[in-house]
């Protein structure tokens, strides 16, 4: 499996969580491909904040907020540790942005940071959350919590 690719072993069992994670892997594996243009002008990267890294940061921030609401609404007992892991990723991506890394020149490093974190996070945090939700803890099985309503953007 290439580093930035989604695979079935990353499935946690919670449809909404898996959809967000799969989308993150899709974005990472496609956004940093050669030929995918960023917002720089004239082909020169001024290294003043990569629009590709910014897009990843916005996406991750939205998904963390949705998952945080899900855990709060359902009373997930391991939410504090799970949220600390989210904070680590957000800090890492903010650091990449603030260091003015280029999505073209530094794409390997950016992909490695995000995919390594995501793979570990799915195994250590999302799978236990999904198992807890599947066991009917905190929500009625089959009924998504308000945090994951159809109107909530992932």
């Amino acid at each position: 499996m290439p580093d930035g690719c989604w695979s079935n072993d990353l499935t946690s069992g919670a449809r909404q969580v898996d959809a967000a994670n799969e989308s993150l892997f899709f974005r990472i594996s496609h956004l940093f491909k050669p030929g995918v243009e960023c917002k720089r002008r004239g082909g020169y990267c001024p290294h003043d904040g990569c629009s590709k890294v910014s897009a990843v940061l916005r996406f991750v921030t939205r998904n963390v907020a949705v998952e945080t609401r899900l855990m709060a609404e359902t009373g997930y007992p391991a939410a504090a540790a799970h949220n600390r892991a989210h904070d680590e990723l957000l800090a890492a991506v903010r650091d990449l942005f603030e260091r003015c890394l280029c999505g073209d020149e530094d794409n390997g490093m950016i992909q490695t940071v995000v995919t390594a974190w995501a793979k570990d996070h799915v195994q250590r945090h999302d799978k236990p959350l999904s198992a807890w939700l599947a066991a009917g803890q905190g929500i009625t099985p089959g009924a998504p919590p308000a945090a994951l309503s159809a109107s909530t953007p992932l």
Side-chain angles (χ1 to χ4, degrees):
M1 167 180 70
D3 276 347
C5 293
W6 175 261
S7 65
N8 287 335
D9 66 317
L10 295 170
T11 301
S12 73
R15 181 178 51 84
Q16 298 88 348
V17 173
D18 289 340
N21 288 334
E22 187 172 358
S23 182
L24 175 62
F25 277 88
F26 177 84
R27 288 167 193 263
I28 290 298
S29 66
H30 289 80
L31 188 62
F32 296 99
K33 282 184 177 178
V36 176
E37 290 295 323
C38 64
K39 293 183 179 178
R40 66 178 178 241
R41 295 186 178 106
Y44 170 75
C45 182
H47 295 280
D48 63 356
C50 180
S51 61
K52 292 179 182 183
V53 176
S54 178
V56 170
L57 182 57
R58 284 191 312 274
F59 179 80
V60 169
T61 299
R62 282 192 307 266
N63 285 309
V64 163
V66 169
E67 206 168 287
T68 298
R69 284 192 310 268
L70 168 67
M71 291 185 290
E73 289 178 5
T74 61
Y76 182 52
H82 199 132
N83 286 328
R84 279 192 300 276
H86 287 160
D87 292 343
E88 290 170 8
L89 175 62
L90 288 168
V93 177
R94 279 188 198 105
D95 179 63
L96 294 172
F97 183 78
E98 289 167 3
R99 288 174 34 208
C100 297
L101 295 185
C102 173
D104 290 337
E105 296 170 12
D106 304 305
N107 62 1
M109 182 191 338
I110 296 164
Q111 286 180 301
T112 298
V113 166
V114 176
T115 58
W117 177 90
K119 288 177 181 182
D120 178 68
H121 183 77
V122 167
Q123 300 301 326
R124 292 191 321 134
H125 297 284
D126 286 346
K127 286 187 177 188
L129 169 62
S130 297
W132 187 80
L133 293 171
Q137 303 295 321
I139 62 169
T140 304
L148 296 174
S149 69
S151 65
T152 304
L154 291 177

